[in-house]
Amino acid sequence: MPTILRHSTALPYALSPLPHLTTKLSPALVRALLPFDLVIVPGLFGSGEDHWQSIWTSLFLAHGVSVRRVEQDNWATPSPSAWHERLQQTLAAPRKPVILIAHSLGAILSTRHATHTDTLNKYETPRVVGALLVAPADAANHKGPDAARIEGFMPPPSQKLPFPATLVFSQNDPWLEVERAHQLAKNWGASLLDAGYAGHIGQDANVEHWPLGLNALHSLALTCHTTQTFSHT
């Protein structure tokens, strides 16, 4: 069974109307992230300026943490081959070990990429050493019309991921049932984090800088540290 992570209180953050401008990351979190290149992988329709992925990008850059973002040409009608290609291109830039920070369809894209990298070997890329997979979108569990937009990415891979991962799920996510989240985590060898009742944990969730997610990322980075040897040049 996948490990269940609990809500940590190790990194307290005060909520603010402008979290991306006023929030200070814990020095311990910054130290944990500095050896890595973080790659943000948005999902269907991308991540707007109020999305936690966008807020995190600003926070990381402000604290000197290396972060890149996957940008797609067509966010509304995703093509699996085009999205895989753009992810691969983005991964060609980093020089440090990579931690993926993926949401929704971006989480599915990341797991498909990790389990099918033999089909995408055009670029020299650093090794992905971890992934934070937030609210993976599963078309089989969604009753709305947007499910048809992601059919080409289905089904989610069933293989174990070749790196540590944390799957964050919500109790009332219209794209991912709780039992399905447990099954995916088991398949992928990922730890599980229950985010409570946060819907799809996207822009409409109003989680601002999302302290729970930052705690999960901190824990994941520490896990990745144990598997890496970093040069100190």
Side-chain angles (χ1 to χ4, degrees), residues 41 80 83-92 100 106-121 123 125-128 153 157 161-163:
V41 190
W83 276 42
H84 276 279
E85 179 79 3
R86 188 54 60 86
L87 173 59
Q88 188 73 357
Q89 290 174 350
T90 306
L91 288 175
L100 300 173
I108 299 297
L109 173 67
S110 297
T111 57
R112 285 170 58 93
H113 179 271
T115 54
H116 295 85
T117 51
D118 58 326
T119 63
L120 292 166
N121 55 10
Y123 301 92
T125 61
R127 187 159 63 95
V128 175
F153 295 80
L161 298 175
F163 44 69

PDB file of all heavy atoms in Angstrom, residues 41 80 83-92 100 106-121 123 125-128 153 157 161-163:
ATOM      1  N   VAL A  41       4.787  21.707 -14.687  1.00  0.00           N
ATOM      2  CA  VAL A  41       4.068  21.076 -15.798  1.00  0.00           C
ATOM      3  C   VAL A  41       2.569  21.330 -15.611  1.00  0.00           C
ATOM      4  O   VAL A  41       1.893  20.604 -14.872  1.00  0.00           O
ATOM      5  CB  VAL A  41       4.348  19.563 -15.879  1.00  0.00           C
ATOM      6  CG1 VAL A  41       3.796  18.991 -17.183  1.00  0.00           C
ATOM      7  CG2 VAL A  41       5.838  19.261 -15.744  1.00  0.00           C
ATOM      8  N   PRO A  80      -1.219  14.580 -27.499  1.00  0.00           N
ATOM      9  CA  PRO A  80      -0.211  13.851 -26.717  1.00  0.00           C
ATOM     10  C   PRO A  80       1.192  13.988 -27.287  1.00  0.00           C
ATOM     11  O   PRO A  80       2.146  14.238 -26.541  1.00  0.00           O
ATOM     12  CB  PRO A  80      -0.710  12.405 -26.775  1.00  0.00           C
ATOM     13  CG  PRO A  80      -2.191  12.521 -26.919  1.00  0.00           C
ATOM     14  CD  PRO A  80      -2.388  13.725 -27.797  1.00  0.00           C
ATOM     15  N   TRP A  83       2.450  17.640 -26.777  1.00  0.00           N
ATOM     16  CA  TRP A  83       2.713  17.929 -25.362  1.00  0.00           C
ATOM     17  C   TRP A  83       3.945  17.173 -24.875  1.00  0.00           C
ATOM     18  O   TRP A  83       4.743  17.714 -24.119  1.00  0.00           O
ATOM     19  CB  TRP A  83       1.478  17.585 -24.527  1.00  0.00           C
ATOM     20  CG  TRP A  83       0.455  18.691 -24.499  1.00  0.00           C
ATOM     21  CD1 TRP A  83       0.064  19.447 -25.554  1.00  0.00           C
ATOM     22  CD2 TRP A  83      -0.270  19.147 -23.371  1.00  0.00           C
ATOM     23  NE1 TRP A  83      -0.896  20.357 -25.154  1.00  0.00           N
ATOM     24  CE2 TRP A  83      -1.124  20.190 -23.823  1.00  0.00           C
ATOM     25  CE3 TRP A  83      -0.326  18.778 -22.035  1.00  0.00           C
ATOM     26  CZ2 TRP A  83      -1.982  20.861 -22.966  1.00  0.00           C
ATOM     27  CZ3 TRP A  83      -1.189  19.441 -21.166  1.00  0.00           C
ATOM     28  CH2 TRP A  83      -2.002  20.479 -21.634  1.00  0.00           C
ATOM     29  N   HIS A  84       4.111  15.925 -25.291  1.00  0.00           N
ATOM     30  CA  HIS A  84       5.316  15.176 -24.922  1.00  0.00           C
ATOM     31  C   HIS A  84       6.551  15.864 -25.480  1.00  0.00           C
ATOM     32  O   HIS A  84       7.581  15.978 -24.794  1.00  0.00           O
ATOM     33  CB  HIS A  84       5.233  13.743 -25.462  1.00  0.00           C
ATOM     34  CG  HIS A  84       4.470  12.809 -24.584  1.00  0.00           C
ATOM     35  ND1 HIS A  84       5.011  12.202 -23.479  1.00  0.00           N
ATOM     36  CD2 HIS A  84       3.192  12.362 -24.659  1.00  0.00           C
ATOM     37  CE1 HIS A  84       4.107  11.418 -22.902  1.00  0.00           C
ATOM     38  NE2 HIS A  84       2.992  11.515 -23.596  1.00  0.00           N
ATOM     39  N   GLU A  85       6.481  16.314 -26.720  1.00  0.00           N
ATOM     40  CA  GLU A  85       7.619  16.966 -27.355  1.00  0.00           C
ATOM     41  C   GLU A  85       8.010  18.236 -26.601  1.00  0.00           C
ATOM     42  O   GLU A  85       9.198  18.494 -26.359  1.00  0.00           O
ATOM     43  CB  GLU A  85       7.278  17.309 -28.807  1.00  0.00           C
ATOM     44  CG  GLU A  85       8.388  18.014 -29.579  1.00  0.00           C
ATOM     45  CD  GLU A  85       9.467  17.061 -30.072  1.00  0.00           C
ATOM     46  OE1 GLU A  85       9.329  15.838 -29.868  1.00  0.00           O
ATOM     47  OE2 GLU A  85      10.437  17.554 -30.665  1.00  0.00           O
ATOM     48  N   ARG A  86       7.026  19.034 -26.199  1.00  0.00           N
ATOM     49  CA  ARG A  86       7.329  20.281 -25.498  1.00  0.00           C
ATOM     50  C   ARG A  86       7.898  20.003 -24.106  1.00  0.00           C
ATOM     51  O   ARG A  86       8.811  20.714 -23.658  1.00  0.00           O
ATOM     52  CB  ARG A  86       6.065  21.142 -25.406  1.00  0.00           C
ATOM     53  CG  ARG A  86       6.323  22.543 -24.873  1.00  0.00           C
ATOM     54  CD  ARG A  86       7.406  23.290 -25.661  1.00  0.00           C
ATOM     55  NE  ARG A  86       7.076  23.454 -27.067  1.00  0.00           N
ATOM     56  CZ  ARG A  86       6.337  24.455 -27.544  1.00  0.00           C
ATOM     57  NH1 ARG A  86       5.843  25.371 -26.727  1.00  0.00           N
ATOM     58  NH2 ARG A  86       6.097  24.538 -28.835  1.00  0.00           N
ATOM     59  N   LEU A  87       7.405  18.980 -23.439  1.00  0.00           N
ATOM     60  CA  LEU A  87       7.987  18.600 -22.151  1.00  0.00           C
ATOM     61  C   LEU A  87       9.438  18.184 -22.334  1.00  0.00           C
ATOM     62  O   LEU A  87      10.324  18.591 -21.577  1.00  0.00           O
ATOM     63  CB  LEU A  87       7.180  17.469 -21.510  1.00  0.00           C
ATOM     64  CG  LEU A  87       7.779  16.861 -20.230  1.00  0.00           C
ATOM     65  CD1 LEU A  87       7.966  17.916 -19.143  1.00  0.00           C
ATOM     66  CD2 LEU A  87       6.894  15.718 -19.718  1.00  0.00           C
ATOM     67  N   GLN A  88       9.701  17.391 -23.374  1.00  0.00           N
ATOM     68  CA  GLN A  88      11.060  16.937 -23.628  1.00  0.00           C
ATOM     69  C   GLN A  88      11.985  18.115 -23.954  1.00  0.00           C
ATOM     70  O   GLN A  88      13.129  18.158 -23.492  1.00  0.00           O
ATOM     71  CB  GLN A  88      11.065  15.930 -24.778  1.00  0.00           C
ATOM     72  CG  GLN A  88      12.398  15.246 -25.017  1.00  0.00           C
ATOM     73  CD  GLN A  88      12.738  14.218 -23.957  1.00  0.00           C
ATOM     74  OE1 GLN A  88      11.998  14.039 -22.991  1.00  0.00           O
ATOM     75  NE2 GLN A  88      13.856  13.547 -24.129  1.00  0.00           N
ATOM     76  N   GLN A  89      11.496  19.063 -24.715  1.00  0.00           N
ATOM     77  CA  GLN A  89      12.296  20.247 -25.027  1.00  0.00           C
ATOM     78  C   GLN A  89      12.618  21.033 -23.765  1.00  0.00           C
ATOM     79  O   GLN A  89      13.745  21.533 -23.590  1.00  0.00           O
ATOM     80  CB  GLN A  89      11.548  21.130 -26.026  1.00  0.00           C
ATOM     81  CG  GLN A  89      11.444  20.548 -27.427  1.00  0.00           C
ATOM     82  CD  GLN A  89      10.569  21.383 -28.332  1.00  0.00           C
ATOM     83  OE1 GLN A  89       9.878  22.300 -27.889  1.00  0.00           O
ATOM     84  NE2 GLN A  89      10.592  21.075 -29.614  1.00  0.00           N
ATOM     85  N   THR A  90      11.645  21.180 -22.875  1.00  0.00           N
ATOM     86  CA  THR A  90      11.868  21.907 -21.622  1.00  0.00           C
ATOM     87  C   THR A  90      12.886  21.187 -20.755  1.00  0.00           C
ATOM     88  O   THR A  90      13.734  21.829 -20.108  1.00  0.00           O
ATOM     89  CB  THR A  90      10.541  22.072 -20.862  1.00  0.00           C
ATOM     90  OG1 THR A  90       9.571  22.683 -21.722  1.00  0.00           O
ATOM     91  CG2 THR A  90      10.727  22.949 -19.624  1.00  0.00           C
ATOM     92  N   LEU A  91      12.849  19.880 -20.758  1.00  0.00           N
ATOM     93  CA  LEU A  91      13.789  19.101 -19.952  1.00  0.00           C
ATOM     94  C   LEU A  91      15.194  19.120 -20.526  1.00  0.00           C
ATOM     95  O   LEU A  91      16.149  18.715 -19.849  1.00  0.00           O
ATOM     96  CB  LEU A  91      13.304  17.652 -19.836  1.00  0.00           C
ATOM     97  CG  LEU A  91      12.086  17.420 -18.949  1.00  0.00           C
ATOM     98  CD1 LEU A  91      11.640  15.967 -19.022  1.00  0.00           C
ATOM     99  CD2 LEU A  91      12.394  17.806 -17.506  1.00  0.00           C
ATOM    100  N   ALA A  92      15.349  19.579 -21.761  1.00  0.00           N
ATOM    101  CA  ALA A  92      16.680  19.642 -22.357  1.00  0.00           C
ATOM    102  C   ALA A  92      17.507  20.784 -21.784  1.00  0.00           C
ATOM    103  O   ALA A  92      18.735  20.773 -21.907  1.00  0.00           O
ATOM    104  CB  ALA A  92      16.569  19.793 -23.872  1.00  0.00           C
ATOM    105  N   LEU A 100       9.885  17.338 -11.066  1.00  0.00           N
ATOM    106  CA  LEU A 100       8.695  17.794 -11.775  1.00  0.00           C
ATOM    107  C   LEU A 100       7.627  18.219 -10.776  1.00  0.00           C
ATOM    108  O   LEU A 100       7.409  17.548  -9.755  1.00  0.00           O
ATOM    109  CB  LEU A 100       8.145  16.672 -12.660  1.00  0.00           C
ATOM    110  CG  LEU A 100       9.071  16.134 -13.755  1.00  0.00           C
ATOM    111  CD1 LEU A 100       8.438  14.920 -14.418  1.00  0.00           C
ATOM    112  CD2 LEU A 100       9.377  17.209 -14.787  1.00  0.00           C
ATOM    113  N   GLY A 106      -1.101  17.627 -16.634  1.00  0.00           N
ATOM    114  CA  GLY A 106       0.354  17.685 -16.552  1.00  0.00           C
ATOM    115  C   GLY A 106       0.930  16.536 -15.750  1.00  0.00           C
ATOM    116  O   GLY A 106       2.037  16.056 -16.035  1.00  0.00           O
ATOM    117  N   ALA A 107       0.191  16.074 -14.737  1.00  0.00           N
ATOM    118  CA  ALA A 107       0.648  14.926 -13.951  1.00  0.00           C
ATOM    119  C   ALA A 107       0.590  13.650 -14.786  1.00  0.00           C
ATOM    120  O   ALA A 107       1.497  12.805 -14.719  1.00  0.00           O
ATOM    121  CB  ALA A 107      -0.203  14.781 -12.694  1.00  0.00           C
ATOM    122  N   ILE A 108      -0.468  13.501 -15.586  1.00  0.00           N
ATOM    123  CA  ILE A 108      -0.555  12.341 -16.471  1.00  0.00           C
ATOM    124  C   ILE A 108       0.552  12.394 -17.518  1.00  0.00           C
ATOM    125  O   ILE A 108       1.221  11.392 -17.802  1.00  0.00           O
ATOM    126  CB  ILE A 108      -1.936  12.283 -17.146  1.00  0.00           C
ATOM    127  CG1 ILE A 108      -3.049  12.155 -16.096  1.00  0.00           C
ATOM    128  CG2 ILE A 108      -1.995  11.127 -18.143  1.00  0.00           C
ATOM    129  CD1 ILE A 108      -2.996  10.866 -15.273  1.00  0.00           C
ATOM    130  N   LEU A 109       0.764  13.572 -18.105  1.00  0.00           N
ATOM    131  CA  LEU A 109       1.838  13.742 -19.078  1.00  0.00           C
ATOM    132  C   LEU A 109       3.185  13.351 -18.476  1.00  0.00           C
ATOM    133  O   LEU A 109       3.988  12.654 -19.114  1.00  0.00           O
ATOM    134  CB  LEU A 109       1.877  15.199 -19.550  1.00  0.00           C
ATOM    135  CG  LEU A 109       3.045  15.603 -20.454  1.00  0.00           C
ATOM    136  CD1 LEU A 109       2.949  14.907 -21.808  1.00  0.00           C
ATOM    137  CD2 LEU A 109       3.073  17.128 -20.625  1.00  0.00           C
ATOM    138  N   SER A 110       3.437  13.776 -17.254  1.00  0.00           N
ATOM    139  CA  SER A 110       4.720  13.494 -16.600  1.00  0.00           C
ATOM    140  C   SER A 110       4.918  12.007 -16.369  1.00  0.00           C
ATOM    141  O   SER A 110       6.024  11.478 -16.576  1.00  0.00           O
ATOM    142  CB  SER A 110       4.793  14.252 -15.270  1.00  0.00           C
ATOM    143  OG  SER A 110       4.744  15.651 -15.476  1.00  0.00           O
ATOM    144  N   THR A 111       3.868  11.309 -15.948  1.00  0.00           N
ATOM    145  CA  THR A 111       4.011   9.874 -15.701  1.00  0.00           C
ATOM    146  C   THR A 111       4.139   9.103 -17.005  1.00  0.00           C
ATOM    147  O   THR A 111       4.891   8.126 -17.082  1.00  0.00           O
ATOM    148  CB  THR A 111       2.831   9.333 -14.887  1.00  0.00           C
ATOM    149  OG1 THR A 111       1.582   9.604 -15.566  1.00  0.00           O
ATOM    150  CG2 THR A 111       2.781   9.975 -13.501  1.00  0.00           C
ATOM    151  N   ARG A 112       3.438   9.549 -18.038  1.00  0.00           N
ATOM    152  CA  ARG A 112       3.585   8.902 -19.348  1.00  0.00           C
ATOM    153  C   ARG A 112       4.998   9.104 -19.884  1.00  0.00           C
ATOM    154  O   ARG A 112       5.601   8.185 -20.442  1.00  0.00           O
ATOM    155  CB  ARG A 112       2.557   9.465 -20.336  1.00  0.00           C
ATOM    156  CG  ARG A 112       1.134   8.971 -20.105  1.00  0.00           C
ATOM    157  CD  ARG A 112       0.137   9.744 -20.950  1.00  0.00           C
ATOM    158  NE  ARG A 112       0.410   9.660 -22.373  1.00  0.00           N
ATOM    159  CZ  ARG A 112      -0.123   8.752 -23.205  1.00  0.00           C
ATOM    160  NH1 ARG A 112      -0.979   7.850 -22.730  1.00  0.00           N
ATOM    161  NH2 ARG A 112       0.157   8.758 -24.494  1.00  0.00           N
ATOM    162  N   HIS A 113       5.513  10.299 -19.722  1.00  0.00           N
ATOM    163  CA  HIS A 113       6.874  10.580 -20.168  1.00  0.00           C
ATOM    164  C   HIS A 113       7.882   9.707 -19.427  1.00  0.00           C
ATOM    165  O   HIS A 113       8.815   9.159 -20.027  1.00  0.00           O
ATOM    166  CB  HIS A 113       7.193  12.058 -19.942  1.00  0.00           C
ATOM    167  CG  HIS A 113       8.582  12.443 -20.347  1.00  0.00           C
ATOM    168  ND1 HIS A 113       9.647  12.359 -19.478  1.00  0.00           N
ATOM    169  CD2 HIS A 113       9.078  12.901 -21.523  1.00  0.00           C
ATOM    170  CE1 HIS A 113      10.739  12.741 -20.106  1.00  0.00           C
ATOM    171  NE2 HIS A 113      10.434  13.086 -21.339  1.00  0.00           N
ATOM    172  N   ALA A 114       7.694   9.577 -18.121  1.00  0.00           N
ATOM    173  CA  ALA A 114       8.641   8.814 -17.305  1.00  0.00           C
ATOM    174  C   ALA A 114       8.643   7.329 -17.639  1.00  0.00           C
ATOM    175  O   ALA A 114       9.659   6.652 -17.477  1.00  0.00           O
ATOM    176  CB  ALA A 114       8.316   9.007 -15.826  1.00  0.00           C
ATOM    177  N   THR A 115       7.510   6.835 -18.105  1.00  0.00           N
ATOM    178  CA  THR A 115       7.407   5.401 -18.381  1.00  0.00           C
ATOM    179  C   THR A 115       7.541   5.079 -19.861  1.00  0.00           C
ATOM    180  O   THR A 115       7.491   3.911 -20.242  1.00  0.00           O
ATOM    181  CB  THR A 115       6.067   4.847 -17.863  1.00  0.00           C
ATOM    182  OG1 THR A 115       4.983   5.615 -18.403  1.00  0.00           O
ATOM    183  CG2 THR A 115       6.016   4.920 -16.340  1.00  0.00           C
ATOM    184  N   HIS A 116       7.729   6.112 -20.710  1.00  0.00           N
ATOM    185  CA  HIS A 116       7.872   5.881 -22.146  1.00  0.00           C
ATOM    186  C   HIS A 116       9.003   6.717 -22.723  1.00  0.00           C
ATOM    187  O   HIS A 116       8.951   7.140 -23.874  1.00  0.00           O
ATOM    188  CB  HIS A 116       6.573   6.214 -22.899  1.00  0.00           C
ATOM    189  CG  HIS A 116       5.436   5.328 -22.540  1.00  0.00           C
ATOM    190  ND1 HIS A 116       4.627   5.570 -21.460  1.00  0.00           N
ATOM    191  CD2 HIS A 116       4.982   4.174 -23.102  1.00  0.00           C
ATOM    192  CE1 HIS A 116       3.700   4.622 -21.383  1.00  0.00           C
ATOM    193  NE2 HIS A 116       3.899   3.770 -22.350  1.00  0.00           N
ATOM    194  N   THR A 117      10.054   6.955 -21.952  1.00  0.00           N
ATOM    195  CA  THR A 117      11.132   7.816 -22.426  1.00  0.00           C
ATOM    196  C   THR A 117      11.892   7.207 -23.589  1.00  0.00           C
ATOM    197  O   THR A 117      12.573   7.916 -24.324  1.00  0.00           O
ATOM    198  CB  THR A 117      12.115   8.116 -21.289  1.00  0.00           C
ATOM    199  OG1 THR A 117      12.510   6.878 -20.669  1.00  0.00           O
ATOM    200  CG2 THR A 117      11.503   9.022 -20.256  1.00  0.00           C
ATOM    201  N   ASP A 118      11.773   5.906 -23.802  1.00  0.00           N
ATOM    202  CA  ASP A 118      12.489   5.311 -24.935  1.00  0.00           C
ATOM    203  C   ASP A 118      11.947   5.797 -26.270  1.00  0.00           C
ATOM    204  O   ASP A 118      12.620   5.694 -27.296  1.00  0.00           O
ATOM    205  CB  ASP A 118      12.403   3.785 -24.874  1.00  0.00           C
ATOM    206  CG  ASP A 118      10.972   3.293 -24.885  1.00  0.00           C
ATOM    207  OD1 ASP A 118      10.101   3.981 -24.330  1.00  0.00           O
ATOM    208  OD2 ASP A 118      10.720   2.208 -25.428  1.00  0.00           O
ATOM    209  N   THR A 119      10.741   6.338 -26.283  1.00  0.00           N
ATOM    210  CA  THR A 119      10.166   6.844 -27.532  1.00  0.00           C
ATOM    211  C   THR A 119      10.501   8.310 -27.768  1.00  0.00           C
ATOM    212  O   THR A 119      10.141   8.865 -28.789  1.00  0.00           O
ATOM    213  CB  THR A 119       8.630   6.685 -27.524  1.00  0.00           C
ATOM    214  OG1 THR A 119       8.084   7.485 -26.476  1.00  0.00           O
ATOM    215  CG2 THR A 119       8.244   5.228 -27.329  1.00  0.00           C
ATOM    216  N   LEU A 120      11.155   8.935 -26.785  1.00  0.00           N
ATOM    217  CA  LEU A 120      11.464  10.360 -26.893  1.00  0.00           C
ATOM    218  C   LEU A 120      12.929  10.570 -26.525  1.00  0.00           C
ATOM    219  O   LEU A 120      13.251  11.081 -25.470  1.00  0.00           O
ATOM    220  CB  LEU A 120      10.562  11.180 -25.951  1.00  0.00           C
ATOM    221  CG  LEU A 120       9.085  11.201 -26.329  1.00  0.00           C
ATOM    222  CD1 LEU A 120       8.260  11.730 -25.171  1.00  0.00           C
ATOM    223  CD2 LEU A 120       8.869  12.068 -27.546  1.00  0.00           C
ATOM    224  N   ASN A 121      13.818  10.136 -27.393  1.00  0.00           N
ATOM    225  CA  ASN A 121      15.239  10.172 -27.071  1.00  0.00           C
ATOM    226  C   ASN A 121      16.005  11.153 -27.961  1.00  0.00           C
ATOM    227  O   ASN A 121      17.192  10.994 -28.194  1.00  0.00           O
ATOM    228  CB  ASN A 121      15.847   8.769 -27.202  1.00  0.00           C
ATOM    229  CG  ASN A 121      15.594   8.162 -28.574  1.00  0.00           C
ATOM    230  OD1 ASN A 121      15.132   8.836 -29.476  1.00  0.00           O
ATOM    231  ND2 ASN A 121      15.901   6.883 -28.703  1.00  0.00           N
ATOM    232  N   TYR A 123      16.674  14.259 -27.384  1.00  0.00           N
ATOM    233  CA  TYR A 123      17.412  15.281 -26.671  1.00  0.00           C
ATOM    234  C   TYR A 123      18.220  14.660 -25.532  1.00  0.00           C
ATOM    235  O   TYR A 123      17.826  13.669 -24.939  1.00  0.00           O
ATOM    236  CB  TYR A 123      16.454  16.330 -26.073  1.00  0.00           C
ATOM    237  CG  TYR A 123      15.608  17.019 -27.100  1.00  0.00           C
ATOM    238  CD1 TYR A 123      14.343  16.526 -27.430  1.00  0.00           C
ATOM    239  CD2 TYR A 123      16.050  18.168 -27.739  1.00  0.00           C
ATOM    240  CE1 TYR A 123      13.560  17.159 -28.378  1.00  0.00           C
ATOM    241  CE2 TYR A 123      15.263  18.809 -28.688  1.00  0.00           C
ATOM    242  CZ  TYR A 123      14.026  18.302 -28.999  1.00  0.00           C
ATOM    243  OH  TYR A 123      13.252  18.931 -29.926  1.00  0.00           O
ATOM    244  N   THR A 125      18.899  14.897 -21.933  1.00  0.00           N
ATOM    245  CA  THR A 125      18.181  15.507 -20.827  1.00  0.00           C
ATOM    246  C   THR A 125      18.732  15.005 -19.502  1.00  0.00           C
ATOM    247  O   THR A 125      19.205  13.877 -19.403  1.00  0.00           O
ATOM    248  CB  THR A 125      16.674  15.176 -20.878  1.00  0.00           C
ATOM    249  OG1 THR A 125      16.513  13.759 -20.774  1.00  0.00           O
ATOM    250  CG2 THR A 125      16.056  15.667 -22.161  1.00  0.00           C
ATOM    251  N   PRO A 126      18.679  15.826 -18.458  1.00  0.00           N
ATOM    252  CA  PRO A 126      19.089  15.362 -17.142  1.00  0.00           C
ATOM    253  C   PRO A 126      18.085  14.365 -16.595  1.00  0.00           C
ATOM    254  O   PRO A 126      16.936  14.299 -17.050  1.00  0.00           O
ATOM    255  CB  PRO A 126      19.107  16.645 -16.307  1.00  0.00           C
ATOM    256  CG  PRO A 126      18.087  17.512 -16.968  1.00  0.00           C
ATOM    257  CD  PRO A 126      18.169  17.205 -18.437  1.00  0.00           C
ATOM    258  N   ARG A 127      18.498  13.637 -15.621  1.00  0.00           N
ATOM    259  CA  ARG A 127      17.621  12.627 -15.057  1.00  0.00           C
ATOM    260  C   ARG A 127      16.577  13.272 -14.154  1.00  0.00           C
ATOM    261  O   ARG A 127      16.903  14.085 -13.294  1.00  0.00           O
ATOM    262  CB  ARG A 127      18.446  11.610 -14.261  1.00  0.00           C
ATOM    263  CG  ARG A 127      17.647  10.414 -13.770  1.00  0.00           C
ATOM    264  CD  ARG A 127      18.586   9.261 -13.460  1.00  0.00           C
ATOM    265  NE  ARG A 127      19.495   9.614 -12.385  1.00  0.00           N
ATOM    266  CZ  ARG A 127      19.284   9.325 -11.102  1.00  0.00           C
ATOM    267  NH1 ARG A 127      18.168   8.698 -10.739  1.00  0.00           N
ATOM    268  NH2 ARG A 127      20.166   9.653 -10.185  1.00  0.00           N
ATOM    269  N   VAL A 128      15.315  12.919 -14.361  1.00  0.00           N
ATOM    270  CA  VAL A 128      14.259  13.330 -13.442  1.00  0.00           C
ATOM    271  C   VAL A 128      14.388  12.467 -12.193  1.00  0.00           C
ATOM    272  O   VAL A 128      14.417  11.237 -12.272  1.00  0.00           O
ATOM    273  CB  VAL A 128      12.876  13.166 -14.084  1.00  0.00           C
ATOM    274  CG1 VAL A 128      11.777  13.480 -13.064  1.00  0.00           C
ATOM    275  CG2 VAL A 128      12.735  14.067 -15.306  1.00  0.00           C
ATOM    276  N   PHE A 153      -4.621  10.862 -23.895  1.00  0.00           N
ATOM    277  CA  PHE A 153      -3.627  10.617 -22.851  1.00  0.00           C
ATOM    278  C   PHE A 153      -4.000   9.416 -21.971  1.00  0.00           C
ATOM    279  O   PHE A 153      -3.255   9.079 -21.051  1.00  0.00           O
ATOM    280  CB  PHE A 153      -3.472  11.847 -21.959  1.00  0.00           C
ATOM    281  CG  PHE A 153      -2.907  13.043 -22.661  1.00  0.00           C
ATOM    282  CD1 PHE A 153      -3.716  13.849 -23.460  1.00  0.00           C
ATOM    283  CD2 PHE A 153      -1.570  13.377 -22.534  1.00  0.00           C
ATOM    284  CE1 PHE A 153      -3.203  14.969 -24.103  1.00  0.00           C
ATOM    285  CE2 PHE A 153      -1.049  14.494 -23.167  1.00  0.00           C
ATOM    286  CZ  PHE A 153      -1.868  15.287 -23.962  1.00  0.00           C
ATOM    287  N   PRO A 157      -0.620   5.578 -17.120  1.00  0.00           N
ATOM    288  CA  PRO A 157       0.285   4.431 -17.075  1.00  0.00           C
ATOM    289  C   PRO A 157       0.110   3.632 -15.786  1.00  0.00           C
ATOM    290  O   PRO A 157      -0.264   4.185 -14.748  1.00  0.00           O
ATOM    291  CB  PRO A 157       1.675   5.062 -17.157  1.00  0.00           C
ATOM    292  CG  PRO A 157       1.492   6.469 -16.733  1.00  0.00           C
ATOM    293  CD  PRO A 157       0.116   6.858 -17.149  1.00  0.00           C
ATOM    294  N   LEU A 161       6.942   4.220 -11.289  1.00  0.00           N
ATOM    295  CA  LEU A 161       7.802   5.300 -11.743  1.00  0.00           C
ATOM    296  C   LEU A 161       9.243   5.036 -11.321  1.00  0.00           C
ATOM    297  O   LEU A 161       9.492   4.455 -10.263  1.00  0.00           O
ATOM    298  CB  LEU A 161       7.328   6.629 -11.165  1.00  0.00           C
ATOM    299  CG  LEU A 161       5.925   7.080 -11.579  1.00  0.00           C
ATOM    300  CD1 LEU A 161       5.539   8.353 -10.844  1.00  0.00           C
ATOM    301  CD2 LEU A 161       5.845   7.286 -13.085  1.00  0.00           C
ATOM    302  N   PRO A 162      10.208   5.508 -12.124  1.00  0.00           N
ATOM    303  CA  PRO A 162      11.615   5.241 -11.814  1.00  0.00           C
ATOM    304  C   PRO A 162      12.221   6.247 -10.842  1.00  0.00           C
ATOM    305  O   PRO A 162      13.446   6.365 -10.759  1.00  0.00           O
ATOM    306  CB  PRO A 162      12.276   5.346 -13.196  1.00  0.00           C
ATOM    307  CG  PRO A 162      11.459   6.347 -13.925  1.00  0.00           C
ATOM    308  CD  PRO A 162      10.035   6.122 -13.463  1.00  0.00           C
ATOM    309  N   PHE A 163      11.383   6.979 -10.116  1.00  0.00           N
ATOM    310  CA  PHE A 163      11.869   7.978  -9.160  1.00  0.00           C
ATOM    311  C   PHE A 163      10.811   8.162  -8.073  1.00  0.00           C
ATOM    312  O   PHE A 163       9.647   7.783  -8.247  1.00  0.00           O
ATOM    313  CB  PHE A 163      12.149   9.311  -9.860  1.00  0.00           C
ATOM    314  CG  PHE A 163      11.084   9.738 -10.840  1.00  0.00           C
ATOM    315  CD1 PHE A 163       9.815  10.134 -10.419  1.00  0.00           C
ATOM    316  CD2 PHE A 163      11.344   9.754 -12.202  1.00  0.00           C
ATOM    317  CE1 PHE A 163       8.846  10.530 -11.320  1.00  0.00           C
ATOM    318  CE2 PHE A 163      10.384  10.151 -13.117  1.00  0.00           C
ATOM    319  CZ  PHE A 163       9.130  10.535 -12.671  1.00  0.00           C
TER     320      PHE A 163
END
